């Protein structure tokens, strides 16, 4: 039996002895008898079952390998957390969750962020855990929401304002894109130093350094056309 090509073949790869050299056409074989057709119909589900029995164990093996890897990463994260190495522990929790998502891992990751001082990240992760738990009808959704609510009053917030929004305005905080629809909205951020950058065509870049404190809100005041200036902090304006 001549296997049909998976794509249109060029003239250079036609099988030897091809009668007319036209791409994509092969001589027809002998017609199947009625009995042969019946056998083919009967054998089709048997072939499917055999293939399923071969593929299913391989899939199960791959899934088991993922679960094992995620568990090892989780245990390593717990060990690092016990040693006070929170940043390294959070990275391992992140990898464990990436390999095999689990509600318990998300909750531990949120707690790790909280211990590491990344309060906004912890708050967001608790809310993610709540959504995941609700989707799986898991009772831990309530606990995740309670932790997020407890954490919310401690969150620093940043309000970025602009006197104007020229075409092509791009704002980033710590190198991450800031949605301009959030201008004027108090956005939770982690405590510590942050860098706000605004760029737009025909304007020189503007940079602002802000320091977020737990439970406080920083309001960036508009200065000039689409200038972002941090109140009470050092900032640099250039061409705005």
């Amino acid at each position: 039996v001549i296997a049909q090509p998976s794509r249109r073949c060029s003239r250079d790869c036609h099988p030897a002895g091809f009668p007319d050299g036209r791409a994509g056409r092969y001589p027809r074989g002998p017609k199947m008898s009625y009995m042969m057709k019946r056998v083919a119909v009967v054998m089709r589900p048997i072939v499917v079952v055999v293939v399923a029995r071969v593929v299913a164990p391989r899939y199960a093996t791959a899934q088991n390998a993922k679960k094992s890897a995620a568990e090892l990463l989780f245990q390593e994260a717990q060990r690092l957390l016990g040693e006070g190495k929170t940043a390294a522990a959070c990275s391992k929790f992140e990898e464990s969750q990436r390999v095999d998502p689990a509600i318990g891992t998300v909750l531990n990751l949120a707690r790790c962020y909280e211990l590491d001082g990344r309060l906004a990240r912890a708050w967001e992760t608790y809310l993610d855990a709540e959504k995941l738990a609700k989707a799986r009808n898991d009772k831990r959704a309530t606990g995740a929401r309670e932790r997020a609510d407890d954490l919310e009053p401690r969150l620093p917030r940043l309000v970025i304002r602009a006197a104007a929004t020229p075409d092509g305005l791009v704002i980033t905080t710590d190198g991450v894109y800031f949605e301009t629809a959030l201008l004027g909205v108090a956005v939770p951020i982690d405590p510590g130093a942050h860098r706000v950058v605004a760029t737009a065509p025909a304007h020189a870049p503007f940079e602002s350094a802000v320091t977020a404190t737990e439970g406080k809100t920083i309001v960036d005041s508009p200065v000039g056309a689409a200038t972002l200036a941090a109140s009470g902090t050092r900032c640099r304006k250039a061409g705005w």
Side-chain angles (χ1 to χ4, degrees):
V1 179
I2 300 176
Q4 295 291 338
S6 59
R7 58 182 176 81
R8 188 180 178 87
C9 193
S10 67
R11 294 172 66 90
D12 293 335
C13 61
H14 288 153
F18 198 77
D20 57 4
R22 285 176 288 177
R25 296 188 61 186
Y26 290 85
R28 291 184 179 180
K31 292 183 178 180
M32 295 177 65
S33 67
Y34 174 78
M35 184 58 68
M36 291 176 65
K37 289 180 180 179
R38 293 294 299 169
V39 170
V41 170
V42 172
M43 290 295 293
R44 189 177 301 158
I46 297 175
V47 172
V48 172
V49 171
V50 171
V51 171
R53 288 182 176 177
V54 171
V55 173
R58 292 180 181 175
Y59 176 77
T61 301
Q63 288 298 103
N64 290 337
K66 283 189 172 183
K67 289 183 181 296
S68 297
E71 180 61 27
L72 288 173
L73 288 165
F74 185 87
Q75 292 175 5
E76 178 66 8
Q78 288 185 314
R79 184 187 69 79
L80 291 168
L81 198 60
E83 296 176 356
K85 301 175 182 178
T86 53
C90 292
S91 296
K92 294 301 180 183
F93 279 130
E94 288 170 352
E95 285 300 304
S96 178
Q97 180 65 10
R98 181 188 63 80
V99 173
D100 186 43
I103 298 172
T105 306
V106 181
L107 288 170
N108 277 273
L109 177 58
R111 178 59 177 163
C112 188
Y113 286 146
E114 186 177 353
L115 293 173
D116 199 42
R118 289 180 269 179
L119 302 185
R121 191 74 178 272
W123 178 71
E124 292 173 354
T125 308
Y126 279 126
L127 293 179
D128 289 341
E130 180 197 18
K131 292 177 184 178
L132 183 60
K134 282 184 175 179
R136 299 182 181 182
N137 198 27
D138 192 298
K139 61 183 180 182
R140 286 175 289 183
T142 302
R145 184 68 198 195
E146 289 175 352
R147 289 299 305 145
D149 290 343
D150 291 342
L151 198 57
E152 190 168 4
R154 298 172 54 196
L155 298 178
R157 297 177 186 272
L158 174 66
V159 179
I160 299 177
R161 293 175 179 168
T165 54
D167 291 339
L169 174 64
V170 175
I171 302 172
T172 61
T173 56
D174 301 322
V176 179
Y177 177 75
F178 181 88
E179 178 58 58
T180 53
L182 291 174
L183 287 171
V185 177
V187 179
I189 59 173
D190 291 329
H194 298 274
R195 181 168 169 263
V196 180
V197 177
T199 60
H203 293 76
F206 171 82
E207 296 181 16
S208 174
V210 299
T211 301
T213 305
E214 188 173 316
K216 303 294 183 180
T217 298
I218 302 172
V219 179
D220 275 10
S221 305
V223 179
T227 299
L228 306 178
S231 300
T233 62
R234 292 188 305 168
C235 58
R236 180 170 65 84
K237 300 185 288 294
W240 288 76

